[in-house]
Amino acid sequence: MRLADRVNRITVSATGAVMAEAERLKSGGADVVDFGPGEPDFPTPEHVKRAAVRAIEQNLTKYTPTPGIAPLREAVCAWHQREFGSDYSPAECIISVGGKHAIFNAICALINHGDEVVVPSPYWVSFPDIVKFAGGEPVFVGADPVNAFRLRAEEVENVLTPRTRVVILNSPNNPTGATIEPEEFAGIVEACRQRDIWLLSDETYAHLVYDGLKPFSATQLPDAKPRLILISSFSKTFSMTGWRIGFTLAPEPLVKAMTKLQSQSTSNPTSIAQHAALEAARGPMDFVAAMRVEYERRRARILEGLRAIPGIECATPDGAFYVFPNVQALLAGRASDTTALARQLLEQEHVIVVPGEAFGAPGFLRLSYAVSMERIEEGLRRLQRFFTAARAAS
Ligand code: PLP
């Protein structure tokens, strides 16, 4: 079939393919340990669910303004101010169908054919494809595993050219969990400011940080605001992935352009989900704190278990809910790459992991610890068995 070039430029999300395979095996009754999930395993908080039920009962089920209902845009600005001390008005806020949609709209609103967009690598799978869809060229900047994947300003500066239009930052990062240290972040802001480059800060995981780190937003850097596109989401912070609510805080002309785009594609996000998000934004944050404590406990256990397997090296992630071990040393004589290794793990041990190639990082695997402690223990047992057998065979 003849398809449009813009569709041929992109590929299906690699993590989506893993989830589909997990579903297929599970529906066949297999006892699968699934380290694939990119979403919290906690239910959406009760008060948020009740708000959605109320919205249905009150017939709040019609079209809303394209950028979202006014109370939600106000509540998002107020929430962000409470959490990070930022100063945005509803005219500088647009609600979209998840953070992914917000990133898609922002990139499509800014990028012309041939524009370069800096993407930190290892990267979240959708960044390069969204850039390519818009006609831009992703330029990768590799964070050093030796520095626990923490991106440095100098590394970003080295890849900037006169064609660079946007720099994407993602702290904490998916898949590495690494954060960018505030001084380095400030250095990147300054480099962008000097060259009139937009900074797109994807803060989807900002609240999921450990070891006493405080949630950080680029809005805390004094010079960032004029060129900052801040994107975040209710998905991970409030365990609301399926509700599809994300938002952008950015200068008003860009918000207007994104609203125009949204008005001719999805229109408003679901009215019911917006009312649920309103409750989440206005409500208590203790649920988030409890989730963070549990993730931290699991992170410690999965790191300990992985590091006990000879040949595996794993940096300590600062945040999100992923570990990103280096398994390069265990590939020899076993698998050509981590995609082949992940397939073997699935077939032989019914363990699902995401291969590093999906994130531009061959030799690594991504394991999510948004799964119960009991499943983590079972998964570690199987990984231990798999890799011990692999060593014996090599
Ligand atoms: N950004 C990153 C780094 C992510 O990992 C994800 C989801 O996995 C998103 C954005 C988008 O999430 P959502 O569209 O559910 O808000």
Side-chain angles (χ1 to χ4, degrees):
M1 199 200 313
R2 188 163 162 269
L3 295 170
D5 291 348
R6 73 178 77 83
V7 170
N8 288 331
R9 281 198 292 271
I10 61 174
T11 51
V12 177
S13 161
T15 46
V18 173
M19 276 170 83
E21 183 59 10
E23 280 316 310
R24 198 189 61 77
L25 274 169
K26 283 179 198 160
S27 62
D31 174 25
V32 174
V33 178
D34 188 356
F35 286 126
E39 61 182 346
D41 54 320
F42 304 96
T44 302
E46 278 307 314
H47 64 288
V48 176
K49 291 194 284 192
R50 279 201 306 275
V53 172
R54 275 199 309 277
I56 295 172
E57 286 170 352
Q58 292 167 8
N59 292 315
L60 298 169
T61 54
K62 308 283 175 152
Y63 292 134
T64 77
T66 299
I69 54 174
L72 179 56
R73 295 164 81 197
E74 273 159 31
V76 162
C77 295
W79 175 80
H80 206 271
Q81 181 167 50
R82 269 199 315 279
E83 293 296 309
F84 300 107
S86 64
D87 180 19
Y88 284 91
S89 69
E92 298 167 300
C93 174
I94 169 171
I95 312 297
S96 298
V97 186
K100 186 186 279 188
H101 184 219
I103 295 164
F104 187 91
N105 283 350
I107 293 292
C108 285
L110 284 174
I111 293 304
N112 277 321
H113 277 268
D115 285 345
E116 290 178 354
V117 177
V118 174
V119 174
S121 172
Y123 47 77
W124 177 49
V125 290
S126 292
F127 290 140
D129 282 292
I130 291 174
V131 171
K132 287 186 209 161
F133 181 86
E137 290 173 24
V139 173
F140 299 106
V141 53
D144 195 343
V146 173
N147 190 32
F149 294 106
R150 293 191 190 103
L151 195 63
R152 294 200 186 95
E154 192 190 351
E155 291 161 337
V156 174
E157 272 183 84
N158 286 342
V159 300
L160 300 179
T161 78
R163 285 165 61 204
T164 311
R165 182 100 167 105
V166 177
V167 169
I168 297 179
L169 296 181
N170 175 213
S171 175
N173 172 285
N174 176 6
T176 65
T179 54
I180 301 170
E181 288 170 59
E183 316 80 72
E184 300 295 328
F185 218 125
I188 299 169
V189 165
E190 181 54 21
C192 289
R193 197 188 62 75
Q194 283 171 7
R195 295 166 180 81
D196 215 14
I197 294 170
W198 286 96
L199 184 69
L200 190 159
S201 181
D202 176 349
E203 303 185 358
T204 297
Y205 296 96
H207 279 84
L208 303 179
V209 283
Y210 315 112
D211 298 325
L213 280 176
K214 294 253 173 308
F216 174 81
S217 168
T219 53
Q220 288 166 270
L221 299 169
D223 297 329
K225 194 173 175 186
R227 285 306 224 171
L228 180 66
I229 310 159
L230 187 149
I231 288 178
S232 193
S233 170
F234 285 75
S235 286
K236 324 281 171 164
T237 317
F238 297 102
S239 199
M240 290 179 67
T241 46
W243 301 78
R244 311 306 303 130
I245 298 287
F247 62 87
T248 306
L249 300 172
E252 197 175 335
L254 180 60
V255 165
K256 278 205 174 115
M258 291 171 67
T259 305
K260 184 162 76 170
L261 194 57
Q262 193 156 294
S263 76
Q264 297 299 7
S265 53
T266 55
S267 298
N268 60 273
T270 307
S271 62
I272 300 151
Q274 288 190 60
H275 285 280
L278 177 60
E279 182 70 26
R282 284 178 176 167
M285 291 290 286
D286 48 355
F287 160 81
V288 185
M291 214 167 43
R292 192 162 47 218
V293 168
E294 178 58 16
Y295 284 142
E296 189 152 6
R297 209 168 68 87
R298 296 175 187 176
R299 183 190 65 148
R301 178 64 194 115
I302 201 165
L303 280 173
E304 180 191 39
L306 287 172
R307 287 170 177 164
I309 299 173
I312 291 189
E313 282 173 18
C314 195
T316 304
D318 302 314
F321 38 66
Y322 310 107
V323 282
F324 203 58
N326 183 344
V327 295
Q328 185 66 43
L330 292 167
L331 288 179
R334 177 85 197 186
S336 53
D337 56 20
T338 52
T339 304
L341 189 80
R343 201 169 302 120
Q344 286 178 19
L345 260 170
L346 188 58
E347 282 163 9
Q348 294 173 26
E349 294 288 355
H350 287 172
V351 170
I352 298 185
V353 297
V354 188
E357 283 88 16
F359 312 101
F364 290 82
L365 296 176
R366 190 192 78 176
L367 281 75
S368 160
Y369 49 89
V371 290
S372 73
M373 199 61 131
E374 182 269 319
R375 295 314 279 166
I376 288 175
E377 293 296 351
E378 177 58 24
L380 287 171
R381 264 193 297 278
R382 294 185 195 186
L383 287 169
Q384 187 54 268
R385 187 167 61 202
F386 176 84
F387 284 114
T388 311
R391 278 175 81 80
S394 66

